[in-house]
Each structure stands twice: as C-alpha cells, then as structure tokens.
Amino acid sequence: MMYNTSSNRVAIVGAVLLCVALLACAQPGPTPQAIGPFLVPYPQHLQQGEVTLPVDPKQFTIATTSSSQILKINIQRYQKLFFSAGPAQQHTSAVAALTLNINVASDNEDLFLGVDESYSIVANSHELTITANTVYGAVRALETFSQLITFARPANTYSIQYTPITIKDYPRFQWRGMLVDSGRHYLPVDFILHILDTLAYAKFNVLHWHIVDAQSFPVQSSTYPDLTNGAYNPIAIYTHDQIQQVIAYGKTYGIRVVPEFDIPGHSASWGVGYPQLLASCPSYASNTNNLLLNIADQYTYTFIKNLFTEITPLFPDNYFHTGGDEVILDCWSEDPSIVAWMTQNNYSLVEAEQYFETQMSNILASLNRTKIVWNDPYINGVQLDQNTVIQVWDVSNVTQQIINNGFKAIVANAYYLDKQVPSPFNKIHYEWQDTWQDFYSYDPMYGITENGDNILGAEACMWGDQLNQVQFDVQVWPRSLAIAERFWSNEAIVNIDDALVRIEAQSCSIAKRGVNSGPLFPDFCFLPADVPSGQHPILRLTPEQVASILRK
C-alpha cells in the first residue's frame, strides 16, 4: 500500500526527460505576490484592516484567568514562538505595552474525537483577545496569533499588520491526522516529540502512530518480553515511560495519539520472539510483509488480548488501529493446521479472515476501544462490526459505499507523502515539491454525494520504508501545510496562487522554529544562526508534568 508500480516509474522518467528536452518546465516563474495576513490553515472567517500595530517583545505579555496546566504550558511555548524570527531592535517608549488576554469557558482538559477546537481572535490597538470554549480551542488560537506577528528586516521590528483583525475559526473535519511509521525505521522519541510540534503548527490533531510492522516490533512488553527480540536493535525500543511521554506531549497540543498494531498481515516481527504465532506458508516466506498470524490457534487470540490489555492503558484514546491491510489470504492455505481448522468449521478464506476480525472487535470492545482497520477486509467481503472505523487507502470509489453502509470513514488515499506521483492524480511535476498542489486540490469529500456526515476526516501518510529522522521534515513539509489547510479550512478556499504565497510564508516561519521546511519558489528566508536542528522538542515536559497530564 505504499509502493509505486514500475509503470508509474517509467512514466515519471519519460515525462521528466521530455520536460527537460523541451526546456519548458525548468523556467522559473515570477515571484508570487499577495496581501496578508499569511495564515495557514486559512480561518473560516477573517476581517482585516490596514493599520500596523508595533509590538515590542519585551513589553508583550500573555494573560489568562484559566487554571489549565495545558494552557499554561502553551503560553510558555508561544511566548517564545511569537518572537522566534530574531532579536528585535530596542524600541522607543512610544511603543505601547501589549497584553494578549485568553478567555476559556472551561478548563476541562479531556481530549477526545470532536472536542471543541473553535476560537475567536480580536486584534486592534485597544484589544488583543483570544476567546475559546476549551483550552484546545485556545491552543489553536495561539498558533494563529503567532502567524499574525510579523518580523521586518532590516529594521528588526515586530508588528501585527492589517489591524483591526477579527477571526472566528473552527475546523471543517474533526479527524485531521498524520500517519508516522516507526515500524520500518525507528524514530527517536525526541524526534517524535518534534513531529508533534510540527503537527500543532499546522493544526493537525491526530498522530496515527504506525508503531509495529513486519520489519520490527519496537514496543516494550512486560507480558511478553521477547516481543522486542523483533526490534531492529535493543536500543531501538519504546519503553512504557517513553510512550507516556509522547502521549502527554501530544495532549498538551490537543493531539490525540492513536496506535496501530498491524495484524494479521505484516506480522513477521511478532514471530521473532514467539514463532508459534505465525502461520507456516513457505511460498511467501521470502517476503516478510506476506507472513500472517496463525488465526486457527486460540493461543493467538489469548496472546493478543493479553498484550492489548497491557498496551491500551498506555494509549488512552478511544480508538485503536489493528491494520488488516495487504493480507495474503493464500498464505493460510499452505498451513495444514489452518486448512484443517477451516475445513472443520466450513470456512472459506474470507470467512477465516472474518473470524479473526470478529475476535479483534470483541477484544477491543472488552477494553473499551473502537477498532479502526484499513479498507482491505471490507473490500474482501468481511462483515465488519458496525462500530468499526474504516480507513480508505487504495481506492477512492469505495468510500461512498462504506459510508452508505453506515460505517465511519477516514480518507487517506489521496495524501500519501512518500509517493513521487501522489494517487489519484497521476500528474508529473518538474519540481517534486509542487506535488503540494495535488494534495491541496483533492478534497476529502471528493465524489461523495450522500451520507457525508459519516466521514470523520482524513489523514496524510508518511510511510517509513525509505525514511527516517534524517529526511523526515523535508519530505513532509511544506507539502503538509497544503494538506492541513484542506483538512481544516472551508471547502471554498481553493485558490492555488493565494495558497502558494501563504504556504511559503508559513514554511519560512516554521523553519525559524527548527523545522526543515523548504521553499516553493525563489525568495529569501532569513534563518538565525541559533535555529535548532529539529531533533528536539520545543518544550520538554518534566516527569511530574507527564504524570499530571495523564491523570486527567
């Protein structure tokens, strides 16, 4: 589900050669021009004026009457991020002291699908105010406010332009996710925290952590300690404490962390420590992606239930992803014990898969979790439990059928960041980064004519087959800024030329925060010498903060 076909590769090479031959695609265009403020994602409602309000970082404060620990952490973050573009020159006393007041209706810090993320901002010479119903709405507002503050060179002064400004904003979709794959390449914990920083800058609210795959099992288990024999290296393992650190850090941004343990396919790493879990299918043994769990042995289900009973408290979100993609059903046909079991129960291969998925639903229901699967079992004809959420990765035309049948769906098929030619566009760009236009142009509701309320939202997917922390940022950003806007903003916000200028400005802005996000057209982005490398989180949490946040 993550590879280009050879025909696609041939098409890419041919088109690029033709492009070079014609000398047409390599000609730089004029530098785009636009009027700010340069906000990404663009808010639902924005009113602006023409007055510039000077800001002196030394005379700027953020105030709130809220007692929320999460809000206080973000005030600490953004007090720094507001002025991360560089040191300001000394202002005269003529620049007024300013206070940004944050008002939240509730200090409740419960984080769940559909939590209220709406907010409003008022910015003028008399008032700087954020108003939100929840602390998470206030967190989204702080990011937007950070984008209102601009830094001018060579004067080295900060200001808020285009005042008076009034913003009323809320997300279009309640599920706005990014899949991160640490099963194919281990990602250090600090880098995952960095990823959470970057997701918050673009108002993503789900980290879909594809934490285990055929190549490695990097999750510590006290119930089955030999599982990590399937990790790449003894140091390439996520301990329980590290997982909780990730969960707590995400929560401070209003980002839910949803784990994926991909089964019954992609399960070879499970069998390194516990070989009795795997089916015996010699014809498919050369490709670890093809190896499946032994679904005929009750030991498999006892094992999974015990493991998930241990793991689910670490991931408190209501949703738990069990994969289910790319299951080579014929593998089961080669295992005599599975064939005998299917014969005894009069099961076809699809009915055998049905049995497995039913057991997974029952196990997760007993743990108060809602199961997510990729669309493969549904396409195979498995009758899934009606509460199952189906994530669509390979074909867009099945989405309408899925939601018509009453299932909730997450759209991912059009947002594969690892692809040279993102499906379903089949377009070829001279500049690879210009694929941001493809992501921007595809609406998660494309082709949906009814029952659209059953679409929870969408996810971008950054598969890790050829990716680790070295090049993660440059493949994800700034292209994911386009995706983020498609997931958050009104469906009518589709102007490519306008988006290009705003995304370019925000790419430069997050680069100043330590994100390796590059340009989309010729310009200049001044990066101070002390910009961090991107390997570390903006603000670490103490163990006491982690424990306090996770108790709520």
Side-chain angles (χ1 to χ4, degrees), residues 13 49 63 84 123 139 153 175 188 230 278 282 307 314 348 350 445-446 449 477 535 542:
V13 172
S84 60
V139 172
R153 293 188 181 277
W175 190 297
L278 296 184
L307 176 66
L314 299 175
S348 65
V350 171
M445 301 294 289
Y446 176 78
T449 59
W477 309 104
Q535 298 295 313
T542 66

Side-chain angles (χ1 to χ4, degrees), residues 296-349:
D297 193 337
Q298 183 57 40
Y299 173 80
T300 300
Y301 303 104
T302 301
F303 189 102
I304 293 171
K305 182 170 184 178
N306 291 342
L307 176 66
F308 285 1
T309 299
E310 175 190 354
I311 293 298
T312 50
L314 299 175
F315 294 92
D317 196 78
N318 290 334
Y319 292 85
F320 196 100
H321 207 307
T322 58
D325 62 303
E326 297 180 325
V327 177
I328 309 300
L329 298 179
D330 285 342
C331 169
W332 287 327
S333 298
E334 293 190 358
D335 188 314
S337 67
I338 297 177
V339 171
W341 171 77
M342 289 194 297
T343 301
Q344 178 182 354
N345 290 282
N346 197 28
Y347 285 161
S348 65
L349 286 170

Side-chain angles (χ1 to χ4, degrees), residues 76-210:
Q76 184 181 353
R77 278 188 181 123
Y78 278 94
Q79 185 79 52
K80 174 184 176 182
L81 291 176
F82 282 172
F83 308 108
S84 60
Q89 76 168 26
Q90 186 66 40
H91 279 278
T92 68
S93 58
V95 177
L98 298 173
T99 298
L100 171 61
N101 292 293
I102 302 178
N103 303 314
V104 294
S106 170
D107 286 342
N108 188 306
E109 296 178 346
D110 292 342
L111 183 60
F112 50 87
L113 175 67
V115 70
D116 191 335
E117 299 173 272
S118 65
Y119 66 89
S120 64
I121 294 176
V122 174
N124 56 55
S125 58
H126 306 292
E127 178 185 3
L128 299 177
T129 303
I130 286 173
T131 304
N133 292 324
T134 71
V135 295
Y136 300 114
V139 172
R140 302 289 174 253
L142 281 165
E143 175 55 40
T144 300
F145 197 93
S146 74
Q147 297 178 31
L148 294 175
I149 299 175
T150 59
F151 187 63
R153 293 188 181 277
N156 292 344
T157 57
Y158 286 94
S159 65
I160 300 174
Q161 299 177 314
Y162 308 107
T163 69
I165 293 172
T166 302
I167 294 173
K168 294 185 183 298
D169 200 13
Y170 51 86
R172 182 182 175 203
F173 292 105
Q174 55 187 326
W175 190 297
R176 306 180 307 280
M178 171 79 72
L179 180 146
V180 174
D181 178 7
S182 65
R184 272 53 178 268
H185 279 96
Y186 175 81
L187 298 172
V189 172
D190 269 359
F191 191 77
I192 295 176
L193 302 184
H194 163 76
I195 291 172
L196 287 165
D197 286 325
T198 68
L199 296 183
Y201 302 156
K203 297 187 174 69
F204 286 93
N205 68 352
V206 177
L207 173 66
H208 174 171
W209 194 355
H210 188 89

Side-chain angles (χ1 to χ4, degrees), residues 279-537:
S280 175
C281 44
S283 298
Y284 299 95
S286 61
N287 186 341
T288 57
N289 279 319
N290 294 338
L291 297 182
L292 308 184
L293 293 179
N294 183 347
I295 58 169
D297 193 337
Q298 183 57 40
Y299 173 80
T300 300
Y301 303 104
T302 301
F303 189 102
I304 293 171
K305 182 170 184 178
N306 291 342
L307 176 66
F308 285 1
T309 299
E310 175 190 354
I311 293 298
T312 50
L314 299 175
F315 294 92
D317 196 78
N318 290 334
Y319 292 85
F320 196 100
H321 207 307
T322 58
D325 62 303
E326 297 180 325
V327 177
I328 309 300
L329 298 179
D330 285 342
C331 169
W332 287 327
S333 298
E334 293 190 358
D335 188 314
S337 67
I338 297 177
V339 171
W341 171 77
M342 289 194 297
T343 301
Q344 178 182 354
N345 290 282
N346 197 28
Y347 285 161
S348 65
L349 286 170
V350 171
E351 288 169 333
E353 185 182 22
Q354 167 95 56
Y355 180 86
F356 176 84
E357 291 296 339
T358 299
Q359 302 312 305
M360 293 306 99
S361 295
N362 292 340
I363 289 170
L364 289 177
S366 72
L367 298 171
N368 297 314
R369 295 295 185 270
T370 298
K371 186 177 75 172
I372 308 175
V373 295
W374 297 101
N375 57 244
D376 304 54
Y378 178 88
I379 291 176
N380 287 347
V382 171
Q383 301 299 307
L384 295 167
D385 182 275
Q386 199 63 48
N387 292 323
T388 304
V389 175
I390 301 175
Q391 185 163 3
V392 180
W393 71 269
D394 62 344
V395 286
S396 60
N397 57 7
V398 76
T399 308
Q400 183 69 73
Q401 182 183 348
I402 288 170
I403 62 177
N404 282 352
N405 286 340
F407 293 100
K408 302 294 184 183
I410 300 168
V411 176
N413 59 286
Y415 306 108
Y416 269 42
L417 289 157
D418 56 309
K419 287 191 174 183
Q420 178 71 33
V421 183
S423 175
F425 315 107
N426 297 318
K427 296 178 182 178
I428 299 172
H429 300 270
Y430 178 79
E431 302 287 356
W432 175 76
Q433 286 283 39
D434 282 340
T435 56
W436 76 268
Q437 300 171 47
D438 300 325
F439 299 127
Y440 192 79
S441 299
Y442 191 92
D443 194 283
M445 301 294 289
Y446 176 78
I448 301 302
T449 59
E450 57 184 337
N451 296 314
D453 289 346
N454 282 336
I455 293 183
L456 297 179
E459 279 192 358
C461 297
M462 188 64 258
W463 294 102
D465 301 72
Q466 298 176 330
L467 180 101
N468 61 13
Q469 68 271 27
V470 173
Q471 81 274 33
F472 184 96
D473 279 2
V474 296
Q475 286 199 223
V476 171
W477 309 104
R479 298 187 302 154
S480 289
L481 291 172
I483 296 173
E485 182 154 299
R486 187 53 49 232
F487 293 178
W488 177 284
S489 302
N490 188 285
E491 60 187 293
I493 304 299
V494 294
N495 187 298
I496 287 283
D497 295 331
D498 176 71
L500 173 60
V501 181
R502 291 185 290 104
I503 290 171
E504 179 78 1
Q506 181 62 356
S507 180
C508 178
S509 176
I510 64 176
K512 297 177 193 298
R513 302 178 183 184
V515 183
N516 294 315
S517 182
L520 293 174
F521 57 79
D523 72 343
F524 177 69
C525 175
F526 182 86
L527 298 177
D530 61 349
V531 167
S533 66
Q535 298 295 313
H536 303 289

Side-chain angles (χ1 to χ4, degrees), residues 2-9 12 418-423:
M2 58 214 76
Y3 302 102
N4 288 322
T5 63
S6 58
S7 60
N8 277 346
R9 289 194 291 270
I12 292 167
D418 56 309
K419 287 191 174 183
Q420 178 71 33
V421 183
S423 175

Side-chain angles (χ1 to χ4, degrees), residues 12-30:
I12 292 167
V13 172
V16 170
L17 291 175
L18 177 62
C19 184
V20 172
L22 295 176
L23 296 178
C25 298
Q27 302 303 315

